[in-house]
Amino acid sequence: MDYSARINSYIKQGVSVEGALAAIAAVDGVGYVDLNYPEHFTDGIDVVSEALKQHGLKLNSIAVRFRSRFRAGEFTGPLAEITDDAYALVGTGVDVARFLGSDLVTLWLGYDGYDYAFQKDFVSATDLLVDVYRRLADEHPDMRFSIEYKPYEERVHTMIPSSGFVLYLLERIDRPNVGATLDFCHMIMARDYPAHAAALLLAAGRLYGIHLNDGYGGSDDGMIVGSVHLWETLELLYWLRRGGYRAPIYFDTFPVREGAAGELSANVAATNRLLKLLESRDGEHIQEVIESQDALLGAALRLELLGGGRP
């Protein structure tokens, strides 16, 4: 697996964008970064482009970030001029991604949602989202657009709250260059099951990105990989391997009291260790256990994966 890193982990600890890219490149095993537009480009796209080249990093995805101006909703809010501005912002993000050598633009619509009863026309709002993604896909056929969902935050309820809704939305959008990004914490918050969501999207050929992290489910904790939901993380990695996932895994974690470089290294080490556990076991045996639907065989498999051998 290839790995991508979050540069805000460094920026929030007082490091510049260029300094963050240099520090990330020094972590063994990380060859990609995900960048936010426009926040990571205040010094200009050429500065970022040169830093990427200098440190041997590739751009995985541009994540378009909508800030407080769009707080009533990026595409489903009450003001048409705000919607137009949001669409234009995505278009500029597309140009930036293309210039930096990526064909992937990730859209998390954190403000498209509602907080109170009788605050949203759910049917017309969904129709608007379908139209926006279709327009983007048709206007930029060389690019891929990835829907990242989250059940809440920034709004009490978001318009795209679950993996099931994403699958529904993708079916309605019906464009070959629109897919989904799954964030582990977001899935736990939504009480989705990570492996289930990934398996279905992989089977549909629409899993464009994985944000790996962990948390307790109440909020977007952004903790070190496997630190809370070890087995769910391992099973997710199993299905990524089985389904032929080839894109980088992005570590979307939020060190606060931990050093950013040390925390990134911990994510790499944890993920590598879990992948090695899977590689060291017979894949056909794992699949046989899954197909048996036998909870006791599943328990035995988990013990085996811990290194105890088959009981």
Side-chain angles (χ1 to χ4, degrees), residues 209-225:
I210 286 288
H211 291 185
L212 206 53
N213 45 39
D214 213 334
Y216 288 96
S219 61
D220 194 4
D221 297 330
M223 297 171 68
I224 293 169
V225 172

Side-chain angles (χ1 to χ4, degrees), residues 69-93:
R69 182 167 182 270
F70 301 95
R71 62 185 178 274
E74 296 93 343
F75 295 112
T76 69
L79 300 176
E81 61 267 29
I82 295 295
T83 297
D84 292 342
D85 289 349
Y87 194 86
L89 187 65
V90 175
T92 309

Side-chain angles (χ1 to χ4, degrees), residues 2-9 11 17 20-21 24 30-37 39-41 48 52 57-65 100 102 104-107 146 148 181 208-211 245 247-252:
D2 293 317
Y3 298 137
S4 181
R6 176 179 183 268
I7 76 168
N8 275 6
S9 298
I11 291 173
V17 170
L21 293 175
I24 287 167
V30 180
Y32 291 81
V33 292
D34 284 53
L35 297 175
N36 296 346
Y37 180 82
E39 70 181 89
H40 294 155
F41 294 87
V48 177
L52 288 171
L57 293 170
K58 297 179 181 179
L59 176 66
N60 177 40
S61 173
I62 284 290
V64 179
R65 284 292 179 257
L100 294 176
S102 173
L104 183 61
V105 173
T106 304
L107 298 177
S146 197
E148 180 182 355
T181 290
Y208 289 173
I210 286 288
H211 291 185
Y245 181 78
I249 287 175
Y250 171 55
F251 296 122
D252 194 6

